Amino acid sequence: MTFDRSIKIAPSILSADFADFGREIRAIEDQGADWVHVDVMDGHFVPNLTFGPPAVKAFRPHVKTFMDVHLMIAPVDPYIDAYAEAGADMITAHVEASPHIHRTLQAIRATGKKAGVALNPGTPASAVETLLDLADMVLVMTVNPGFGGQKFIHNQVEKIKTIRNMIGDREIHIQIDGGVDPTTAPLVAAAGADVLVAGSAVFKGGSVDAPQIYGDNMLAIRAAAQSVA
Ligand code: DX5
Ligand code: ZN
């Protein structure tokens, strides 16, 4: 089976109604989401606090597609098993969060889950060069992590191209996270990204009572990306 490098939309539930996650997750999936992106923040690695393993466990029964857990926490290793048991399909750790990121990725793979490695905007592409044998995905942050609704950092597009060349034919996804919308989606898709995380651009203007707006927003992002991919 060939590796699926087609454009995939992963809404970030950081922009969803926190009082209604179950229905929000089902709504975005019904409206065409390919993955569900879950931002885990610890108030230490990033200046915001979100979801512990119990919350992620509560989301799991509502996710029918693929639960993509983005760990913005330091340390990472003590929590890997808990997020794996909570039902994550992909667990992504930041290279900046773990002095032993090679061992961290090994530990994620040892749980049987997919392993992702993330780069903050200030971290060069070379930081993942020796990690590609252990990674199922490289996440290039296009905002400084911690909040939704921030402006896309354009000078990260070159980094995406560099990583796409580094990966070659290997079965590794390139995920982009932060400020993705119909205007920035073509830039990252043309550079080689296949998984597009979007929070504010998917949830804006919609609700569980008006989910078709989520669908329209995702369609606009997908169409813009596919026009160049
Ligand atoms: C930020 C998170 C992102 C964020 C994206 O630290 O990792 O996933 O929710 O939100 P938007 O798409 O609004 O920039
Ligand atoms: Zn994220």
Side-chain angles (χ1 to χ4, degrees):
M1 209 174 62
T2 55
F3 182 61
D4 176 16
R5 234 180 262 290
S6 68
I7 295 294
K8 291 166 280 299
I9 307 296
S12 161
I13 61 170
L14 188 67
S15 292
D17 175 359
F18 274 40
D20 211 352
F21 278 121
R23 290 202 299 163
E24 289 274 43
I25 290 169
R26 294 198 300 277
I28 52 174
E29 290 196 328
D30 292 348
Q31 292 295 325
D34 300 291
W35 294 10
V36 174
H37 185 81
V38 179
D39 289 306
V40 173
M41 301 179 181
D42 65 354
H44 168 66
F45 180 70
V46 291
N48 199 354
L49 268 170
T50 57
F51 317 119
V56 173
K57 192 169 187 168
F59 300 153
R60 179 69 259 188
H62 302 282
V63 178
K64 300 287 175 282
T65 57
F66 187 85
M67 191 152 72
D68 167 35
V69 176
H70 176 193
L71 297 182
M72 289 160 277
I73 66 175
V76 180
D77 296 15
Y79 299 96
I80 291 171
D81 289 345
Y83 282 103
E85 279 149 31
D89 295 303
M90 172 87 73
I91 298 174
T92 298
H94 273 259
V95 291
E96 308 87 359
S98 181
H100 307 295
I101 186 69
H102 191 275
R103 184 160 50 206
T104 298
L105 295 176
Q106 287 176 321
I108 294 172
R109 281 255 177 103
T111 67
K113 306 295 181 169
K114 301 272 185 198
V117 58
L119 299 172
N120 282 337
T123 305
S126 56
V128 297
E129 212 156 354
T130 59
L131 303 172
L132 296 179
D133 294 343
L134 292 170
D136 299 292
M137 182 171 78
V138 176
L139 162 48
V140 177
M141 291 299 306
T142 41
V143 296
N144 287 296
F147 304 94
Q150 299 182 83
K151 212 166 162 309
F152 182 88
I153 303 173
H154 282 267
N155 73 2
Q156 300 301 302
V157 173
E158 277 314 306
K159 191 196 291 183
I160 302 166
K161 291 179 189 163
T162 305
I163 291 170
R164 185 68 195 85
N165 291 331
M166 243 190 239
I167 287 174
D169 295 336
R170 279 183 264 216
E171 299 197 344
I172 301 174
H173 295 289
I174 298 180
Q175 185 178 61
I176 305 305
D177 188 8
V180 172
D181 64 21
T183 62
T184 54
L187 305 176
V188 299
D194 65 308
V195 187
L196 279 47
V197 175
S200 47
V202 168
F203 285 94
K204 79 172 191 289
S207 72
V208 291
D209 301 316
Q212 69 286 353
I213 294 172
Y214 294 164
D216 297 344
N217 291 341
M218 282 188 272
L219 211 51
I221 296 168
R222 192 189 301 276
Q226 287 173 337
S227 69
V228 295

